[in-house]
Amino acid sequence: MDNGRLRVETLGPLRAYAAGRELALGPPKQRAVFAVLALSGNAVVSRDRLIDGVWGESPPTTAVGSLHTYVSGLRRALDGLGEPLTSSAAGYSLLLDPDGLDVTVAERLAARARSLAAGREPAAAVTVFEEALALWRSGTALGGLPGPFGAEHRTWAADLRLRLVVEHAELLLELAQPAAAADRLALHVADHPYDERLRALLITALSRSGRTADALARYHDLRKLLAEDLGIDPSAELRALYASLLADSAGADTAPAALAPAATPVRPAQLPREVADFIGREDAVRRVLDAARDAAPDGGGEAAPPRIVMVVGVGGVGKTALAVRCAHLLADAYPDGQLYVNLRGFDPKRPARSPADALHHLLASSHAGTVPTDQEERVALWRSTVRDKRMLIVLDNAESADQVEDLLPGDGPSFVIVTSRNRLSGLAVRYSAHRETLSPLTADESLSMLRTSIGDARVGAELPAARRLAELCDRLPLALRIASEQVTSGSSRVRIADLAAELEDVRYRLDALQIPDDELYSVRGVLSWSYARLDARAAHAFRTLGLFPGVSIRAEAATALLDVPAPVAAAALRNLAAQHLMETTGNGYWMHDLTRIYAEEVSGDGESAESRKGALRRVLHWYVRTLTQDYKSNAVKLPFTLDPVAPHAPLRFADQKELVTWCVQEWDNISPLLRTAQRIGCHDEAWQLAYLLFDYFYAAGQTKDWVEVLRLGVRSTEMVEDRRAQAVLLNHLGVAYSRLGDNEAAVHEQRRGLRLLEDLGDDVLRTSLLGNLASTLREAKEYRAALSYASQALDLARHSGHEYYEAGCLDVLCELHAELGEFEDSLWYGTFGLAVSRRCGNVLLEANILINLGGAEYGLAHDEKALRYFQEALTLCESSGDHYHEALTLFGLAKVKRARAEPDSARALADRALLRLKELGAEEVGDVTEFLRALDAGPQEAPAEQPGPRAGRYRPTVRAVPAARSAPPRPGSRHPAT
């Protein structure tokens, strides 16, 4: 059926198949992660996007860890399929064949059916539409999956299905098969009760099938539903269709002539024309219509207070389009007229409209007679005029709540829609106005807009490029429309991929997203109108925040970047967010890419080079200070000196786990910051950041990223000619290379570091480098050379009086003797090392020693003791977020379980270890893979692994561990001796 290839169904409950069997995708949130990846078109999905899609706007603090767990679970579910789920520093990707996803197949079939219909082959088109519709399974799309991504997909899938049903029915009517069309349409009415196009088609199909009574009943049902639920009448088109049915049922030969106009005064009908290709926003439209329904008079005839809906969002997000769309849907429910005023709050060519001018327009449009000159009299006359009328009032492009307040009706049944780039908090507080905040379109809505504007065939032919184009446009309707115009205008055909490639260069993106000589259709122009309304302080904050290279910025970091007190920074962020020049996410703020590009652009004009570099240096210092937090009981001496006074308070962490967790959350900010530091010549900050990320990378970070970061840091130490700093980072680089399994490179870097120390007299750093070199040589199985270096390192550590280094050296010796089969000596060193490490308070070192002690006891066939050590290490790693040692512990437990003839437990533990190690990119992946292969092969291929102590045992010379001393500086090693 699928010969081993992965096939995913999302047009119903989520299911995945391979080799003729359904895959067990796990619990709901794990399935939700799979759904996001499957529906992302083989693209890399960032961890933040996955968290947003599964948990929404307020994810728990455990979301990152849970995401890792779910990805690990999915890898187990996909085992044996050639690793379709891949990971990188940017995120995760699920690779599917073009026919492996039902959505892709449905879209392709729909495009083919439309092409057949356009080619006058309706019968063939009907067959292909039916093939596409058959892809929808019983049950709701992604039914039962949590999170906003699943909800958006359900809406999108329902909308796509409805479109196909309607197109299919129209073809059946064209083929004179009205009964078949009616049967198909009737199945979908309950799911789309307010869709008038669907009802009109059903009524037409019933009528043509000779079922006029049923058709008339369907119309009456709809009219009653719209009146009771929304307080509106059917559309003019439906009413005309109903009149035609009545005429036909009375025996008339032709449809009735248009009714003569009612003898009523001319009422205002000022709504602009709707956007022809209005896409998505179903939930937002529904909420606005619900607010209008609540504003209708109650059964007792009393009018409810006027309802106000504010549609707010960043420029170009489609506020006016939504307001006009809703106003047209509501127009028939407001028989006294529809008024529209453009308040020009963010107009590039004309000043904002004054409340007095806007009131004059409203009064004149309402036939109020002579308009007073006094503003208070105008307000009183306006409210008196509209008091008993049901009017729909659209106040578009408002600058502020003050501009709008005088234009609001007093009491009465009228309904007001206000649009603005400002949050208009005054209206929300004073009048309980409902705020509808528009976000950019979803990825699927953006693609639908491009399909409508550019054409199904062209978008289908360049689908990956179209998806990328939508992202480069920030999924803003204005930017998407401009991009579509760039692709379709002119005599020469521009490929979507060519425009996307042009937009990839941030220097020219705003230039590309504009229609020549039309400021109204320019992303830069739209953003400039918002920027022009900022006061001097807010404008400076906007320009400076645009310099921040990370994904999002928290208020504490913004305090340093802006160089202002914390309350002032928080107020600046809130102010920019209120005007939709920034957005909130979790505990931080972020800019849309296009907004950030514009902010950087105006920063070049409004801020001096010195000011820009100073802002970035301050935030770099803040990150350095935050990473140097001392969460241990004893002070840690760092290998560099910071300024004695910290003008901007760093974050504080209770323990190492909090630090590592914060680094996981901030990595997408720290990584570009480090590169920015090197680019602008802040080399001290660059290498210090690289140094301070040791705990994060050692416990939870990608090893390849670590190597890259350290190489950047080493280049910065060379630029400032700091030999000691260079030796520190070469020490760490050796650790990272060793983690990757490149022991030759590790030894090279560690020996480079030792040569740099030859005349510096730094015994502490020499101790760490010797210990790491010993550990690397142990990895390379050069045991005797390793013992020599480890002994030198231990002597130096005891001489310098630093317990932490001493514990690290004892750890290396413990592991060396275990690998030599000298398990009793290993236990001797390890026992002393464990006591010293616990006095030091470093959980990474303690976990490593516990693992080595477990390995030594396992070597002596003391399974119970080994299990106790491994279990203690596992508890410690899980509580501290140390994924690397967690994986090694799981592997150790798996070996013991295999020795105890418990293959199922051994396999489960080894699977967990392998997933962790793959996430970290660690060299031990090969060892665990081989263990699992041997385990699957059966006991005949499993190695004996019962070595006893070997000859030539190395006898330790130190017989006691000294009493506790002051905490030493933190070293850097393969074990965590940094």
Side-chain angles (χ1 to χ4, degrees):
M1 185 172 74
D2 53 30
N3 60 31
R5 292 181 177 178
L6 183 60
R7 183 168 56 84
V8 180
E9 293 179 357
T10 65
L11 297 175
L14 178 67
R15 289 192 171 89
Y17 301 88
R21 64 183 178 89
E22 183 174 354
L23 305 180
L25 296 176
K29 281 193 172 63
Q30 183 168 302
R31 295 167 67 82
V33 170
F34 183 84
V36 177
L37 294 171
L39 287 162
S40 295
N42 293 348
V44 175
V45 185
S46 70
R47 292 166 180 82
D48 283 345
R49 184 181 165 201
L50 282 167
I51 289 171
D52 290 343
V54 176
W55 281 274
E57 295 182 356
S58 302
T61 55
T62 58
V64 174
S66 297
L67 178 60
H68 286 301
T69 301
Y70 295 147
V71 171
S72 299
L74 291 174
R75 285 204 172 102
R76 288 195 296 273
L78 299 172
D79 187 37
L81 301 181
E83 298 190 359
L85 178 52
T86 61
S87 61
S88 66
Y92 301 100
S93 177
L94 182 67
L95 301 179
L96 291 171
D97 290 337
D99 292 336
L101 182 65
D102 56 358
V103 166
T104 304
V105 176
E107 289 180 323
R108 188 179 67 249
L109 289 171
R112 182 181 165 204
R114 290 171 186 135
S115 177
L116 288 168
R120 307 309 301 160
E121 298 183 63
V126 163
T127 300
V128 179
F129 270 128
E130 288 172 351
E131 187 180 347
L133 287 165
L135 293 170
W136 269 263
R137 309 300 181 189
S138 177
T140 306
L142 301 187
L145 292 197
F149 183 90
E152 289 174 4
H153 178 73
R154 282 187 281 277
T155 300
W156 177 88
D159 182 60
L160 174 61
R161 187 181 195 183
L162 179 61
R163 292 202 308 272
L164 299 187
V165 166
V166 167
E167 292 176 69
H168 176 246
E170 288 173 338
L171 286 172
L172 288 174
L173 291 175
E174 182 181 335
L175 292 168
Q177 299 178 33
D183 290 343
R184 175 61 69 108
L185 291 165
L187 296 174
H188 297 276
V189 167
D191 293 331
H192 304 278
Y194 306 118
D195 193 289
E196 295 187 75
R197 185 182 180 191
L198 178 66
R199 293 287 190 128
L201 270 177
L202 176 56
I203 291 168
T204 301
L206 289 170
S207 173
R208 293 185 186 179
S209 302
R211 300 166 59 186
T212 304
D214 289 340
L216 292 170
R218 289 284 187 174
Y219 175 82
H220 288 301
D221 290 343
L222 176 61
R223 184 176 62 180
K224 181 180 178 183
L225 182 70
L226 292 175
E228 291 179 351
D229 288 3
L230 304 180
I232 62 177
D233 293 324
S235 66
E237 292 81 3
L238 260 175
R239 294 200 304 273
L241 177 60
Y242 174 64
S244 176
L245 291 177
L246 287 177
D248 288 343
S249 66
D253 293 331
T254 59
L259 296 176
T264 55
V266 175
R267 65 172 187 169
Q270 299 175 350
L271 297 179
R273 182 183 295 275
E274 281 192 74
V275 174
D277 55 350
F278 186 86
I279 299 292
R281 308 293 197 199
E282 289 87 353
D283 290 341
V285 169
R286 187 177 302 111
R287 285 190 290 268
V288 175
L289 297 184
D290 286 344
R293 178 191 62 194
D294 293 341
D298 61 25
E302 293 295 326
R307 285 286 180 176
I308 306 166
V309 169
M310 308 175 298
V311 181
V312 300
V314 68
V317 79
K319 301 180 294 296
T320 298
L322 178 76
V324 172
R325 168 74 167 175
C326 293
H328 277 285
L329 291 172
L330 292 168
D332 288 345
Y334 291 89
D336 294 316
Q338 304 88 45
L339 298 171
Y340 174 86
V341 186
N342 182 357
L343 296 175
R344 302 197 300 263
F346 298 88
D347 193 300
K349 299 177 179 178
R350 294 177 293 174
R353 202 164 191 168
S354 69
D357 182 38
L359 268 176
H360 188 285
H361 170 82
L362 291 170
L363 288 167
S365 300
S366 303
H367 311 292
T370 304
V371 178
T373 56
D374 180 76
Q375 178 66 4
E376 291 186 6
E377 291 180 8
R378 286 188 182 187
V379 173
L381 178 59
W382 163 240
R383 291 176 180 167
S384 299
T385 300
V386 78
R387 169 65 178 83
D388 296 318
K389 291 184 178 179
R390 288 182 57 78
M391 302 191 79
L392 179 62
I393 304 156
V394 178
L395 305 175
D396 194 18
N397 201 11
E399 182 181 28
S400 65
D402 290 340
Q403 187 188 21
V404 170
E405 189 163 13
D406 284 351
L407 313 182
L408 300 175
D411 292 332
S414 293
F415 185 64
V416 183
I417 303 176
V418 187
T419 75
S420 180
R421 300 184 196 183
N422 196 304
R423 285 177 57 83
L424 302 179
S425 298
L427 299 187
V429 172
R430 292 193 289 273
Y431 301 104
S432 299
H434 169 74
R435 181 185 293 112
E436 187 64 42
T437 302
L438 290 192
S439 299
L441 298 173
T442 66
D444 290 330
E445 289 170 344
S446 302
L447 202 59
S448 295
M449 178 172 283
L450 291 176
R451 287 183 188 280
T452 302
S453 303
I454 298 174
D456 267 345
R458 292 190 64 186
V459 171
E462 295 188 76
L463 192 56
R467 293 188 187 278
R468 181 57 183 157
L469 178 63
E471 294 304 316
L472 291 168
C473 290
D474 270 355
R475 292 182 275 112
L476 290 174
L478 174 65
L480 289 166
R481 293 184 194 283
I482 295 172
S484 298
E485 178 67 14
Q486 304 285 39
V487 171
T488 58
S489 64
S491 56
S492 61
R493 288 172 59 89
V494 177
R495 294 175 63 245
I496 298 173
D498 292 338
L499 179 59
E502 184 179 353
L503 296 182
E504 291 284 2
D505 191 332
V506 296
R507 295 173 298 174
Y508 306 116
R509 193 176 302 173
L510 295 181
D511 293 331
L513 290 176
Q514 63 181 4
I515 303 300
D517 303 320
D518 192 340
E519 195 173 0
L520 289 173
Y521 284 91
S522 161
V523 172
R524 179 186 282 113
V526 167
L527 291 170
S528 71
W529 312 335
S530 294
Y531 174 65
R533 295 299 189 274
L534 299 177
D535 60 32
R537 178 178 292 182
H540 168 70
F542 176 71
R543 294 191 299 267
T544 307
L545 288 163
L547 299 172
F548 186 72
V551 172
S552 65
I553 188 168
R554 55 193 303 153
E556 297 90 343
T559 297
L561 185 74
L562 299 173
D563 197 21
V564 295
V568 176
L573 291 167
R574 288 195 301 270
N575 181 27
L576 292 174
Q579 300 179 66
H580 295 282
L581 289 170
M582 297 195 79
E583 306 289 338
T584 59
T585 173
N587 58 2
Y589 293 79
W590 63 281
M591 285 183 180
H592 293 286
D593 285 347
L594 295 175
T595 309
R596 182 192 302 280
I597 294 168
Y598 179 73
E600 288 184 274
E601 191 175 277
V602 295
S603 180
D605 297 330
E607 304 292 328
S608 67
E610 182 181 355
S611 172
R612 296 197 300 273
K613 184 173 182 179
L616 288 168
R617 187 186 293 276
R618 287 192 302 272
V619 79
L620 283 164
H621 282 182
W622 183 85
Y623 272 89
V624 168
R625 290 183 177 282
T626 293
L627 286 168
T628 55
Q629 291 297 298
D630 177 20
Y631 46 79
K632 299 185 179 69
S633 57
N634 298 314
V636 176
K637 180 181 178 183
L638 296 168
F640 49 84
T641 302
L642 292 170
D643 296 335
V645 178
H648 305 291
L651 296 178
R652 310 294 299 184
F653 302 115
D655 52 30
Q656 190 177 53
K657 180 181 180 180
E658 284 192 10
L659 172 67
V660 171
T661 300
W662 180 80
C663 285
V664 170
Q665 296 168 349
E666 284 287 312
W667 173 241
D668 287 338
N669 292 329
I670 295 172
S671 175
L673 265 172
L674 193 149
R675 287 163 176 76
T676 297
Q678 191 168 77
R679 176 177 58 82
I680 65 175
C682 292
H683 294 295
D684 281 325
E685 292 82 356
W687 81 257
Q688 289 171 17
L689 276 175
Y691 168 84
L692 289 164
L693 288 167
F694 179 88
D695 281 359
Y696 160 64
F697 279 116
Y698 197 84
Q702 282 278 335
T703 309
K704 290 182 179 178
D705 289 344
W706 194 9
V707 169
E708 184 180 355
V709 161
L710 289 169
R711 290 174 68 86
L712 285 171
V714 169
R715 283 200 290 273
S716 283
T717 63
E718 292 169 347
M719 295 298 294
V720 296
E721 299 182 348
D722 188 331
R723 293 172 58 196
R724 186 168 181 272
Q726 188 178 349
V728 167
L729 292 194
L730 290 173
N731 190 18
H732 287 197
L733 188 56
V735 178
Y737 274 128
S738 182
R739 174 77 69 84
L740 279 176
D742 191 346
N743 293 317
E744 183 178 351
V747 169
H748 173 74
E749 302 300 351
Q750 288 157 352
R751 284 181 169 155
R752 278 180 66 197
L754 285 169
R755 287 195 295 272
L756 286 168
L757 294 178
E758 287 177 357
D759 58 352
L760 293 181
D762 190 332
D763 286 347
V764 173
L765 184 52
R766 182 180 296 276
T767 301
S768 182
L769 275 160
L770 288 169
N772 283 332
L773 181 55
S775 185
T776 304
L777 290 169
R778 175 193 60 75
E779 292 280 338
K781 304 190 184 306
E782 298 182 28
Y783 296 116
R784 294 304 166 185
L787 282 171
S788 173
Y789 285 118
S791 298
Q792 292 179 53
L794 181 61
D795 289 343
L796 279 173
R798 291 181 51 72
H799 176 74
S800 61
H802 286 287
E803 282 190 331
Y804 186 77
Y805 292 97
E806 182 179 350
C809 295
L810 290 167
D811 181 29
V812 175
L813 287 164
C814 171
E815 195 163 6
L816 268 169
H817 285 290
E819 294 202 15
L820 285 167
E822 300 166 353
F823 300 116
E824 291 181 357
D825 285 348
S826 175
L827 290 172
W828 193 93
Y829 281 111
T831 302
F832 286 141
L834 182 62
V836 181
S837 71
R838 285 174 171 166
R839 291 201 297 270
C840 297
N842 187 284
V843 293
L844 292 176
L845 181 53
E846 182 181 350
N848 207 72
I849 295 177
L850 285 169
I851 293 168
N852 289 334
L853 287 169
E857 295 289 9
Y858 169 67
L860 291 171
H862 298 160
D863 291 352
E864 291 298 333
K865 291 182 179 179
L867 285 173
R868 283 198 295 273
Y869 276 126
F870 285 136
Q871 193 58 55
E872 188 176 354
L874 184 60
T875 300
L876 187 65
C877 294
E878 289 177 338
S879 66
S880 65
D882 181 355
H883 296 330
Y884 175 62
H885 286 104
E886 177 188 348
L888 298 186
T889 304
L890 291 167
F891 189 29
L893 286 167
K895 291 180 180 179
V896 178
K897 291 294 184 180
R898 182 180 65 182
R900 292 162 67 97
E902 299 178 31
D904 291 341
S905 295
R907 184 176 292 103
L909 290 161
D911 280 338
R912 290 171 59 191
L914 183 61
L915 289 170
R916 280 294 191 209
L917 292 167
K918 282 183 176 180
E919 289 171 0
L920 298 170
E923 65 157 329
E924 289 87 354
V925 166
D927 295 336
V928 182
T929 301
E930 180 59 27
F931 175 87
L932 284 166
R933 189 202 64 76
L935 194 63
D936 290 336
Q940 67 275 11
E941 291 197 22
E945 283 208 71
Q946 291 294 336
R950 301 181 183 178
R953 181 181 302 178
Y954 181 84
R955 175 58 55 189
T957 57
V958 181
R959 290 294 182 183
V961 176
R965 295 184 285 262
S966 60
R970 182 169 53 200
S973 110
R974 171 74 186 165
H975 56 77
T978 63

